[in-house]
Amino acid sequence: MAVYVNVGGTWEKAIGVYVNVGGVWKSFSQLNVNIGGIWKSVWLDLDKWTTKAPMPTRRYNLSAVAPGNGKIYAIGGRVNPTSTDYTNINEEYDPPTNTWTTKATMPTARENMAAASPGNGKIYVIGGNRSSTGVTNNEEYNPSTNTWATKTAIPTQREDAAAASIGNGKIYVTGGAKSGTVTIYAINEEYDSSTNTWTSKTNMPTALSGHVAVPPGNGKIYAIKSTVNIEYNPSTDTWTTKASSSTSRSGAVGASPGNGKVYYIGGDVSTGVNEEYNPSTNTWTTKATMPTQRELAAAASIGNGKIYVIGGTNSSGVLTTNEEYSI
């Protein structure tokens, strides 16, 4: 939603609001507005990118997860595309202070893994690969204690799968490929963090690998790759085909910044394409292009109306780049 202010008799769209807090002017992109006696939260229409502190260790094919503590964790991946340089590095990004901190390393170095937080404040890193050798490891990271624990392995070994949760204590791992083969899966397996068990769920209607899975807060998950967009409803265990993105690409990232929409960004195209999907209207809108074109990066949001796209690779090589998108 855009907010308009009257400037000299003309209504202009606000791109930021500054409020004096204790003598210090601070910028806000979200406001609470009283509409018909009901206070509603609205986001200002910023649609801009800002370069932030780079990730300490260059990587691609990594995971980035925000477990609900206001931080983002960039985990694993690959440092050098010309060698089997798989890493277990775990670096924490704090958006409010724009700083990075090295954390406890993941037990199993790997790339192309799936990762998510199910709403319990912890991160689960699942599957992936090391060279042509796939792994089924499921490792839990607890940010509050900075420790890792081994959990029940995923039943079906996969790399390039996607993981997401609607915050119900469960993670849904969809699609992916069998390491060392050309087999692409439509498999959907649910991990219950409270019981440490796996359950097979309804397969995706389309087999996908290297896709994104994003929960925008409506109780659904959107699996997107190129022009494929399918919605999963965990409560009914059903899939529905949705409107397609207009730009065919692979290696893109996806995230939702807390406004109920999904952003599908970058990939193996000539520009940092940024498209917004609105589930409530089933429509796509082109947004501000990401400054650094790249693929195989990672993206996450702490729900503050901003998305952070981290790392990746392009013609310049493997990147440490960290760019913030404000909706």
Side-chain angles (χ1 to χ4, degrees):
M1 176 184 290
V3 173
Y4 290 81
V5 294
N6 194 297
V7 181
T10 303
W11 287 95
E12 303 281 355
K13 185 169 69 173
I15 59 172
V17 171
Y18 286 82
V19 178
N20 193 298
V21 181
V24 179
W25 287 96
K26 295 186 177 182
S27 175
F28 292 85
S29 60
Q30 185 181 21
L31 296 173
N32 288 320
V33 179
N34 193 298
I35 302 175
I38 300 174
W39 286 96
K40 295 185 177 181
S41 178
V42 298
W43 295 96
L44 300 182
D45 190 1
L46 300 180
D47 191 26
K48 69 174 186 178
W49 288 88
T50 305
T51 299
K52 308 303 279 187
M55 178 172 56
T57 307
R58 66 173 190 161
R59 287 178 276 164
Y60 70 108
N61 285 341
L62 69 158
S63 293
V65 182
N69 63 348
K71 313 288 177 61
I72 293 169
Y73 296 83
I75 303 170
R78 193 169 180 177
V79 176
N80 189 343
T82 62
S83 69
T84 54
D85 196 4
Y86 309 104
T87 184
N88 58 359
I89 290 171
N90 175 20
E91 292 168 332
E92 174 195 85
Y93 178 62
D94 185 343
T97 62
N98 191 30
T99 57
W100 289 88
T101 304
T102 300
K103 294 295 184 175
T105 55
M106 178 171 57
T108 306
R110 45 187 154 152
E111 67 170 343
N112 294 327
M113 54 280 181
S117 179
N120 64 352
K122 300 175 182 178
I123 295 169
Y124 297 81
V125 184
I126 302 164
N129 82 305
R130 297 169 56 88
S131 188
S132 60
T133 304
V135 297
T136 58
N137 301 56
N138 174 17
E139 293 167 339
E140 174 196 84
Y141 177 64
N142 186 339
S144 65
T145 59
N146 190 32
T147 56
W148 289 86
T150 298
K151 296 297 182 176
T152 302
I154 188 169
T156 308
Q157 186 281 313
R158 308 177 247 167
E159 62 178 280
D160 280 329
S165 176
I166 60 171
N168 60 347
K170 299 175 181 179
I171 293 172
Y172 300 88
V173 182
T174 58
K178 182 175 177 60
S179 295
T181 75
V182 294
T183 302
I184 297 177
Y185 292 121
I187 292 170
N188 176 19
E189 292 171 329
E190 173 196 85
Y191 175 68
D192 187 330
S193 61
S194 64
T195 61
N196 191 30
T197 57
W198 288 90
T199 304
S200 294
K201 309 300 283 187
T202 300
N203 284 358
M204 293 190 292
T206 304
L208 294 176
S209 176
H211 57 297
V212 303
V214 182
N218 64 348
K220 315 285 179 61
I221 295 168
Y222 296 84
I224 302 169
K225 181 179 181 181
S226 190
T227 57
V228 175
N229 176 19
I230 45 181
E231 173 194 87
Y232 179 61
N233 185 338
S235 65
T236 60
D237 191 26
T238 55
W239 291 90
T240 305
T241 299
K242 294 294 181 176
S244 301
S245 161
S246 62
T247 306
S248 177
R249 49 194 156 134
S250 62
V253 297
S256 181
N259 66 341
K261 299 176 182 179
V262 175
Y263 295 80
Y264 188 50
I265 305 168
D268 60 347
V269 286
S270 59
T271 62
V273 176
N274 175 16
E275 293 178 316
E276 172 196 88
Y277 175 65
N278 187 339
S280 64
T281 59
N282 192 31
T283 56
W284 288 87
T285 304
T286 299
K287 308 301 282 185
T289 301
M290 179 171 59
T292 304
Q293 180 278 327
R294 46 191 157 142
E295 61 179 318
L296 308 177
S301 175
I302 60 172
N304 60 344
K306 300 175 181 180
I307 293 170
Y308 299 87
V309 182
I310 302 165
T313 183
N314 61 19
S315 58
S316 299
V318 182
L319 306 171
T320 60
T321 306
N322 175 20
E323 291 170 333
E324 172 195 86
Y325 175 63
S326 300
I327 61 173

